[in-house]
């Protein structure tokens, strides 16, 4: 059996997780209209409820699944989650009411909270010096899912509002079968630890793992960076419409370029620069690069230049795997699932809060009654957050160099 097959299985699992929200976005207006019979505005409200419920469950359940995988192993958690996901997509395909769709989205959010288990598997099989670059593949998988989800949803939506769900169920089932035959168990009795409910939730995991040296500051940096970086899915469609008059096709093209660039950076470039420069320098570069990238997008007035800048801004995405690598090195082998679950929860909180803040900031910056017309203003907020990250990270870097 090829040693690469388990890694392929993990990456496909992460792609499926990342597709979870994007897959149904193109067909949501029509589907929710069918189920509720309401207006487009009412459908949008329900769409927000579905997306938020999915993200909230990922936040709450990431540490739980991670801790369960520390106790029972990565293999059963991943396989059971895929089985639940396949059934969940079929339920959504046949859902006859919004309430059943909401329940299915809640269950789907729980089943898709396996990023912690998948990244713990990667931590299990990676040498310490290889963890950051292998974590880059996690980001690459999410970049692919970010691109593929809406594309599949939009293309299959031409065959009906339920077609994307059938495709997602088939993909989850295929990956379940693949995992059953190729996925080994990496949790041995040497690193297995008892499951404790008080640690299997975001607050409990943070209280316990927060005692690890340096982890709190790394988690703060991770949250701030993810919060700032979520500006792209949060306001890009609105920003480009207001600033350049882009239609949905051009918005989709630019987001596709961005997703592909993320996959290249985190799946390829990170594997070159981490061994050469180390995590600390890469994190510092990423914060500085993103500072200027956000400034450029906030100031740009040409749609052509913005389209060129879009994939280039992905060069700053090296921060996430580098930070994950540093955090993974602070925890023991029996804590990797719990740690990755906590990291996943921090990302989920950023995914929940950032759209709320960024869209409100965009609204205020373009409100005609206030007399302001600065669509790029939210990018200046992200730029300020990068400055804050540098303010947190530079003293820590100096301290580490002095030790």
């Amino acid at each position: 059996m090829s040693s690469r097959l388990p890694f392929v299985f993990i990456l496909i699992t992460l792609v499926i997780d990342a597709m979870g929200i994007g897959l149904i976005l193109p067909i949501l207006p029509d589907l929710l209209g069918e189920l509720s019979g309401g207006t487009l505005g009412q459908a949008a409200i329900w769409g927000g409820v579905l997306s938020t419920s999915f993200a909230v469950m990922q936040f709450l359940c990431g540490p739980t699944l991670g801790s369960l995988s520390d106790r029972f192993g990565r293999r059963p958690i991943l396989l059971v989650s895929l089985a639940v996901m396949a059934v969940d997509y079929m339920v959504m395909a046949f859902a006859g009411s919004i309430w059943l769709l909401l329940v299915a989205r809640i269950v789907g959010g729980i089943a898709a909270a396996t990023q912690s288990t998948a990244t713990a598997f990667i931590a299990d099989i990676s040498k310490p010096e290889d963890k950051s670059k292998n974590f880059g593949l996690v980001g690459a998988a999410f970049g692919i899912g970010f691109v593929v989800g809406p594309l599949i949803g939009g293309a299959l939506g031409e065959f009906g509002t339920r077609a994307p769900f059938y495709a997602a169920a088939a993909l989850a089932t295929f990956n379940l079968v693949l995992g059953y035959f190729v996925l080994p168990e990496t949790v041995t009795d040497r690193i297995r630890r008892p499951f404790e409910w008080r640690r299997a939730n975001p607050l409990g995991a943070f209280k316990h793992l927060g005692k690890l040296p340096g982890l709190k500051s790394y988690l703060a940096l991770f949250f701030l960076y993810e919060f700032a970086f979520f500006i792209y899915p949060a306001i890009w469609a609105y920003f480009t419409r207001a600033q350049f008059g882009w239609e949905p096709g051009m918005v989709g093209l630019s987001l596709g370029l961005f997703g592909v660039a993320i996959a290249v950076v985190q799946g390829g470039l990170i594997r070159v620069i981490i061994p050469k420069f180390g995590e600390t320098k890469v994190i510092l570069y990423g914060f500085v690069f993103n500072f200027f990238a956000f400034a450029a997008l906030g100031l740009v007035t040409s749609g052509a230049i913005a389209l060129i800048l879009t994939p280039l801004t992905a060069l700053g995405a090296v921060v996430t795997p580098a930070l994950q690598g540093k955090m993974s090195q602070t925890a023991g082998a029996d804590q990797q699932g719990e740690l990755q679950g906590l990291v996943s929860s921090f990302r989920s909180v950023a995914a929940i809060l950032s759209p709320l803040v960024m869209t409100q900031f965009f609204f205020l910056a373009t409100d005609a009654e206030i007399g302001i017309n600065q669509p790029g203003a939210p990018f200046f907020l992200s730029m300020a957050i990068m400055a804050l990250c540098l303010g947190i990270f530079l003293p820590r870097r100096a301290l580490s160099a002095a030790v």
Side-chain angles (χ1 to χ4, degrees):
M1 182 188 302
S2 171
S3 59
R4 292 181 177 272
L5 285 178
F7 225 121
V8 170
F9 165 80
I10 291 296
L11 295 181
I12 294 175
T13 301
L14 291 169
V15 169
I16 294 174
D17 288 350
M19 287 169 51
I21 295 178
L23 180 77
I24 67 172
L25 284 179
I27 51 92
L28 266 184
D30 291 336
L31 176 61
L32 292 172
E34 290 176 10
L35 296 177
S36 69
T39 65
L40 182 62
Q42 291 170 328
I45 292 173
W46 273 108
V49 171
L50 293 176
S51 296
T52 299
S53 64
F54 188 90
V56 167
M57 296 315 297
Q58 285 191 307
F59 160 68
L60 293 174
C61 298
T64 304
L65 293 187
S67 291
L68 285 170
S69 76
D70 282 340
R71 170 62 180 87
F72 298 105
R74 318 298 183 209
R75 177 182 163 88
I77 299 302
L78 289 169
L79 295 183
V80 169
S81 295
L82 278 169
V84 172
M85 195 178 298
V87 173
D88 187 69
Y89 277 122
M90 290 303 297
V91 170
M92 286 191 283
F94 289 100
S97 71
I98 287 182
W99 294 108
L100 181 56
L101 198 65
L102 175 60
V103 172
R105 279 280 80 185
I106 291 172
V107 174
I110 297 172
T114 51
Q115 182 191 349
S116 57
T117 306
T119 48
F121 178 90
I122 292 175
D124 292 340
I125 65 174
S126 302
K127 298 177 182 178
E129 63 272 17
D130 293 334
K131 286 184 177 182
S132 291
K133 62 182 184 182
N134 285 342
F135 284 142
L137 294 174
V138 175
F142 268 80
I144 293 171
F146 181 76
V147 176
V148 171
L151 287 178
I152 292 178
L156 294 179
E158 297 295 323
F159 299 95
T161 55
R162 309 303 176 117
F165 299 119
Y166 292 122
L171 184 57
T173 302
F174 164 79
N175 204 39
L176 170 63
V177 174
L178 175 64
Y180 180 82
F181 288 106
V182 307
L183 188 67
E185 182 54 71
T186 57
V187 175
T188 64
D189 290 338
R190 182 180 63 83
I191 65 173
R192 194 184 308 276
R193 68 173 181 83
F195 178 80
E196 301 176 63
W197 276 112
R198 60 187 177 87
R199 291 170 56 176
N201 61 83
L203 293 178
F206 179 74
K207 181 179 179 181
H208 178 76
L209 293 175
K211 301 173 184 176
L212 296 175
L215 183 62
K216 286 183 179 179
S217 61
Y218 283 132
L219 284 170
L221 289 169
F222 183 83
F223 170 78
L224 289 170
Y225 173 78
E226 291 289 315
F227 184 96
F229 211 72
F230 266 111
I231 190 173
Y232 294 108
I235 70 151
W236 187 254
Y238 312 105
F239 162 70
T240 53
R241 171 65 65 89
Q243 190 77 314
F244 315 121
W246 283 3
E247 296 296 328
M250 184 59 74
V251 173
L253 173 63
S254 62
L255 287 174
L257 289 173
F258 182 73
V260 170
I262 289 284
V264 171
V265 169
Q266 296 196 338
L269 181 62
I270 196 73
R271 305 179 72 81
V272 176
I273 64 173
I274 287 287
K276 186 173 182 179
F277 298 106
E279 285 93 347
T280 300
K281 290 183 179 178
V282 169
I283 293 169
L284 179 60
Y285 148 78
F287 288 150
V288 173
F289 181 91
N290 279 295
F291 178 89
F292 289 105
F294 289 136
L297 288 172
L299 295 170
V300 68
T301 56
S302 166
I305 294 176
L307 191 61
I308 294 172
L309 286 174
T310 302
L312 293 179
T313 56
L315 291 172
V318 295
V319 173
T320 298
L323 279 173
Q324 282 182 291
K326 295 292 282 186
M327 288 188 284
S328 180
Q329 292 169 19
T330 68
D334 63 341
Q335 298 174 305
Q336 291 299 321
E338 183 181 18
L339 171 62
Q340 297 306 328
L342 183 60
V343 171
S344 177
S345 288
F346 269 68
R347 176 184 277 117
S348 296
V349 173
I352 293 168
L353 296 180
S354 182
L356 296 175
V357 174
M358 294 299 181
T359 51
Q360 285 297 315
F361 206 74
F362 178 84
F363 170 76
L364 293 173
T366 56
D367 188 356
E369 294 184 5
I370 299 178
I372 300 175
N373 185 29
Q374 294 293 331
F379 287 102
F380 296 134
L381 175 59
S382 289
M383 182 183 73
I385 294 174
M386 289 301 100
L388 176 60
C389 288
L390 284 168
I392 296 173
F393 184 70
L394 284 174
R396 177 177 179 79
R397 177 174 179 262
L399 179 62
S400 298
V403 174

